[in-house]
Amino acid sequence: MNITIEETLTGIANQLRIDSIAATTAAGSGHPTSCCSAADLVAALFFGHMRFDPKDPRYANNDRFILSKGHAAPLLYAAWAELGLFPREHLNTLRELNSDLEGHPTPRLSFVDVATGSLGQGLSIGVGMALCARLDNLDYRTYVLMGDGECAEGSVWEAASLAGVNQLNNLVAIVDVNRLGQSQATAFGYDVDVYRRRFEAINWRTEVINGHDMEEILEVLGAAGLGRQPLAIIAKTQKGHGISFIEDKEGWHGKPLSKEEAARAIAELEPKAKSGVADPIPAPSELPLPKNEAPSAYPPISYKAGDLIATREAFGNALARIGEVDQRIVAMDGDTKNSTFSDKFYKKFPERFTECFIAEQNMVGVATGFSTRGKVPFASTFACFLSRAYDQIRMAGISMANLKLAGSHVGVSIGEDGTSQMALEDLAMMRAVEGSVVLYPSDAVSAEKLVEQMALHKGVAFLRTSRPKNPVIYSNDEPFPIGGAKIRRQSAGDKVTVVAAGVTLFEAAKAAETLATEGIGITVIDAYSVKPLARDVIKAAAQKTNNLVITVEDHYPEGGLGDAVAGELSADGIRVHKLAVMELPHSGKAEELLAKYGIDAAAIVKAVKSLI
Amino acid sequence: MNITIEETLTGIANQLRIDSIAATTAAGSGHPTSCCSAADLVAALFFGHMRFDPKDPRYANNDRFILSKGHAAPLLYAAWAELGLFPREHLNTLRELNSDLEGHPTPRLSFVDVATGSLGQGLSIGVGMALCARLDNLDYRTYVLMGDGECAEGSVWEAASLAGVNQLNNLVAIVDVNRLGQSQATAFGYDVDVYRRRFEAINWRTEVINGHDMEEILEVLGAAGLGRQPLAIIAKTQKGHGISFIEDKEGWHGKPLSKEEAARAIAELEPKAKSGVADPIPAPSELPLPKNEAPSAYPPISYKAGDLIATREAFGNALARIGEVDQRIVAMDGDTKNSTFSDKFYKKFPERFTECFIAEQNMVGVATGFSTRGKVPFASTFACFLSRAYDQIRMAGISMANLKLAGSHVGVSIGEDGTSQMALEDLAMMRAVEGSVVLYPSDAVSAEKLVEQMALHKGVAFLRTSRPKNPVIYSNDEPFPIGGAKIRRQSAGDKVTVVAAGVTLFEAAKAAETLATEGIGITVIDAYSVKPLARDVIKAAAQKTNNLVITVEDHYPEGGLGDAVAGELSADGIRVHKLAVMELPHSGKAEELLAKYGIDAAAIVKAVKSLI
C-alpha cells in the first residue's frame, strides 16, 4: 500500500499538533490552537517544500522561515524536533527558565533568525532577507508565516508594498486565516478576498487555498519563485483544527488545554498522526557565500580644524567612505536621504541601498533582515521618525540584531520646521533598548569615527546627528571608542564639570570662555557616548569640581544625557543639575530656540554661577 | 459677464498659491511646491464645499479638516487668512518665534485640531472624529488631506481598514498624488490605480480625478456622505502646479523660492488669482452638542484589604465604574481587551468602545481624534505594544491632546510569555513625552483612583498595569493625587529609603520585614506617580536615611523609576542606587524572573546590606 506524500505530510502535521498541545499543557500556558491552524502549512514547508540543511539551521543558503505569528512557537519547536535537531522530550521544557524554548521564539535558538511575538513584523524582516539574497546572488527563498489578525498592522502593508515595488519573487507570504483573534473574530473573518485584493493591489501574485488541504498547499507552494512577483498564499484555516471540541470556536486564544482536554485532543489526533521524515529534505544550493568580514582598516579622513560641517553630513561621508572597503555595509532610508545624507552612500553604491519610502517601521525591519544575513545595515531618517519604529527597534534588541540607526535633525537646533520634526525623546527611547549603544557626535571627525565604531560593534547602535553646521574641533587621528568621553577643557580650581554633547558642546565651550574672563573655571566634557557612558571619566572630573555637574542637552529632561549621568553617578555622591528643553518648543531660529529653552551658553553661564 | 463658481474657486486656489510662495520665501524655508499641488483641493473644500463657521473654527458642528500632509501648512494658513480669520500680512510671520504660524500646524492655532508633520497620522485622527460624530449623533463630516508619499506609512492603511470595517460614510480621504516625495519620486508615481485598488480592497468608495480640475473636484466632493462607504478621492496633481519653471520637477521639495523666483512665480499666478469669498460658506448644522463635562464625583469603590486582584483588572473595573457617570469616557483596544480588562467597559458600554484590532498606531490616533471632540479616550493594550505607536503618542503630546493610555503586562513579572511581551522600556518612553503623566499603581485601590485622576487631568497620561494578582493594601478612601507618593513604612533610625512601584512595592515590603528581624530599618515609598515625581516626599525621606536611596523597578535601568529619582534628586545630594532588569530577560515563572534579574525581596535585602 502506497502512502502519498500528501498523506505523510498531513500525518506529520497532526504529530506537530499533538506536540504543540502536549507542550503547552505541560507548560500551563501558550497558544495550542494557533499552532493547530498552521500545522499543515508548516508541515508542508518543512517536510515537503523548503530547501535546507536540517542539521545546520544557520547555513546561509538555507531557505529562510520566519514565524511572524510568534505565539505559534510550539509548532516551530515541534517541527525542529521532528527534524531531529533535538529530542522530542525537550519540547516539554517549553517556557521554562532553563530552556531556550521560550514563550515566543528568539535567536537564542539556532533555527530562529529574529525574535517574533510582536505581531506584524515578520514580513519586513523577510523583505530584508529577500533583498539580501538578490544582493548576494543567492537563491535561498524567504517564507513568512503570518496570522490573519496581524494583517491589521500597517507594518505588514509597508512591507508588502515594498516587496511589490521591488518584485521580490524570492519572497513568499503565507497568511493563516483562522478567523479568530485574541479577544474576538478578526475584522474580516473568513472574507479571504479582502486579503487577496490587498496583496494584488500592490502587485503580488496571490493564491487562496484551504490551509488544511495538503494537495492545495503543495501545489501553490510550487509557484514560489516563478514569475516576477512575490507570492501571497492566503490559507483559510481553523483555529484549533483537528480538535473536534475546540476547532473554530471563540474563547480559545492563548489557552492551554487541561490535562484531560489534552488527552482527549491527542486521542483524536493520534490515529491520523505520523512521525519520521518521509522524503529527504531538499538540499540547499551551494552557491558561493559572501565574505561579510570587517576590513582590517578604514580609509583615513581629512578634515581641517574649523571646517563648518554638520554631523549629519559627516555621517553620509563616513558611510560612503567605509562602504568602499567594508562590503558588509548596506543602507536604507525613508525618503529623507538628501537630508540625512545617506544619499552619499546611495550615489556611490546604489545596489547596496534600499529606498524604503516613508515607512520607518518597515525600514527598520528590512535593516534587521539584512543584519541576519551578515550585513551591517545603516537605516537613517529624521531621529524623531525613528519613534515610528520603536517596536521594531525594541524587537531588534531582543533579536540581538546588528542594527545601526542614524537619526538626524535632533532637538530644537533644527529651528523653523517646528516641534513635530524635532527629536527630543530619542535618547530616552534608544537608551532603553537592551544592549544598545547610543552615540552623539559634536563634530565631523567624531561623527566619522563613531560610524566606524558602529560598523565594528555587534549589536543595536544609534547615532544622533544634528542639523546645524558646526566647526571641526578634533584632529583626524583622534580615536572615539564606544564608552569613551573627551575632556575638552579642565584646569585646577575648576568649579563645575559641564557635561555636553552635540550642539551643546559648542555652547559649553562658549560658556567656559565667558566664565574664564570672570575668573571662573569649568571643566567641559564631550559625552559623545551616551550609552555606555564614560562614568569613570565623568566621575573623576566631577570629583575635582566638588562633585558638581551640569548636564546640558538638546533633548527633553527625561531619559536623556542628564538622567544618564545622574542615574550612573548619583550613587557616588555626584550632584547633577540638568539643563534641557523643559517645555513644548516652538518654531524659530535655532539660536533663538537654544536661548529660549535654556540650553545655550548664556544658560550654562547662569547655571554655573547659581551653583558657586 | 458671469463668473462660474469653478472659476472663482480656481482663482482663490491661485491666491492661496501666491500666499504660500510669498510666506515661505519670506521665511526662507518651507514647502511651497507641496502647497501648490493641493491648492485647488483646499480652495474647493474651504470655499465651495465644507460646512463651517469661519468666525468660530472650534465650533463643534463644523466639518473637520485635517491637513495630514502638515508640511503644506502655509496653504492652510492662507486659506484661513482668505476666510478673514486674521490679516493676510500675518502670513509673512510664518515660522517666526513669536508667530503661531509654525513650520507645521499645531493646535496653538484655533483652526487646527491636531499637530501634523509626522506623516501618515491624519487619517487615524479622522477615523476617531468620524466615529465620534456617530456616537454624538452629529452630522459634521471629516476631511483628511494626505500626500501620496505618506501613503507608504502603514498607519494610513490601518486607519483606512478600520474606516472600511465601520463603513464611515462621514469620512473623506483626499490623496494629493503629486508624484514626488522628498528625495525622489514616490514608489507608485502617477499610477493612481494602485491607490484606488488599495482603498477599494478595504471597502471604500473611490474617485480618481484631476486634482486641478475644479469641476471634477466639486463633483466628487458632492458624493461625500452618500452611500455607506467612506470616500477616497485620489487626485492626480502636480507639485508646484501653476509655476511653469517648477511644476512637476524633482529637486523642489521643501525649498522656498528665491525672491526673484518668487516674483516670477507670483507674476505668472497673479492674472489667474482671485481674492474674496465668492459664496457664503455653508453653515454647519445646529444639532445639539453633547455636554462632555466631568461629573462632580465618581461612584465609590469597595475592595477588601488583602483581596488578590491585578492592577490591570482594577483598571477595567475603574473604566466601567466611572464610565457610568462620566459620559466623556470612551475606550478602545487592540484586540487585547480580555487581557487588559477593557472588556469590562466594552460589555457595559459597547457603543462607546472601538475595537481597533491589532493596529496600535491607529488605535492611538483614533483615541486622539476622540479627544479633540471633548471625549476622554482610554486606549489600552499590552504596554510593550504601545511602543508601536510611539510616534503617534509623541504627536499627541505636541497636540496637547487629552489622551489616556493604559499598558498592561509590564516587566518580567508577566512570566512565561517571554521578552517580546514584556514592557521594559515603557516608563522611559512615556516619561519623555512632553507634559505627560506617568502612573504606576501597585494595588487595585490605587489603580482605580489613578484612573479617576487620569480622567480628570487634561493631557497625555499613561497607566502602567501589571499582570500578577497582588493584595489590596490601601483603604478605599485613600486619595492618590497625581504627583504624590505614599510612605508605606518609616521609622526613626531607618538606614535606607527604598523607592518602589507596582510589583516591586510588595518585594520592598517583604524585604523590610526580613531586615526588621535583623534590626535593620528601611523606609519604603510607593512612587505610584513616576511623573510628576513626588520629589519632596522622597527627598525628605531620603534625608532621614543618610541621603541613601535604593530604587527597584520591573523595567530596564534606563529612563525608568531609578533615573527619574536620580535625575530629580541627585542635585540635592541624594545617592540613588538602582535595582532594575539589567539584561535581556528570558521566559520563566514570574517569581523566578524577579529573583534572577535582581528585583525581588532578596535582592533588596542584599542591596540594603551592601550600603550600610
Side-chain angles (χ1 to χ4, degrees), chain A residues 23 27 140 153 160 269 314 417 424 524:
Chain A
Y140 66 82
E153 290 285 9
L269 289 162
D417 267 345
L424 288 157
V524 175

Side-chain angles (χ1 to χ4, degrees), chain A residues 295 297-302 318 320-326 348 448-449 452:
Chain A
Y298 291 120
I301 54 173
S302 54
R321 173 177 59 87
I322 72 173
E324 191 92 54
V325 294
D326 193 338
K348 214 162 161 184
E448 291 250 15
K449 295 299 181 73
E452 292 181 5

Side-chain angles (χ1 to χ4, degrees), chain A residues 37-121:
Chain A
S37 64
D40 298 295
L41 298 164
V42 164
L45 284 164
F46 279 83
F47 301 92
H49 178 73
M50 290 199 305
R51 306 156 302 174
F52 64 104
D53 180 349
K55 291 197 176 54
D56 186 4
R58 294 217 190 274
Y59 178 53
N61 278 324
N62 286 352
D63 284 344
R64 315 312 305 173
F65 175 79
I66 302 165
L67 185 67
S68 189
K69 48 174 284 182
H71 53 290
L75 177 67
L76 178 66
Y77 304 159
W80 281 96
E82 179 70 33
L83 286 163
L85 194 69
F86 52 84
R88 190 181 303 274
E89 304 77 68
H90 192 51
L91 292 173
N92 288 335
T93 66
L94 180 71
R95 294 174 163 240
E96 289 179 8
L97 183 55
N98 296 315
S99 166
D100 281 342
L101 301 180
E102 297 193 72
H104 291 75
T106 79
R108 284 171 175 142
L109 296 162
S110 63
F111 54 89
V112 173
D113 289 321
V114 287
T116 51
S118 180
L119 291 166
Q121 300 197 13

Side-chain angles (χ1 to χ4, degrees), chain B residues 355-366:
Chain B
E355 178 50 74
C356 291
F357 303 99
I358 309 175
E360 297 78 8
Q361 297 192 80
N362 184 54
M363 176 179 72
V364 170
V366 166

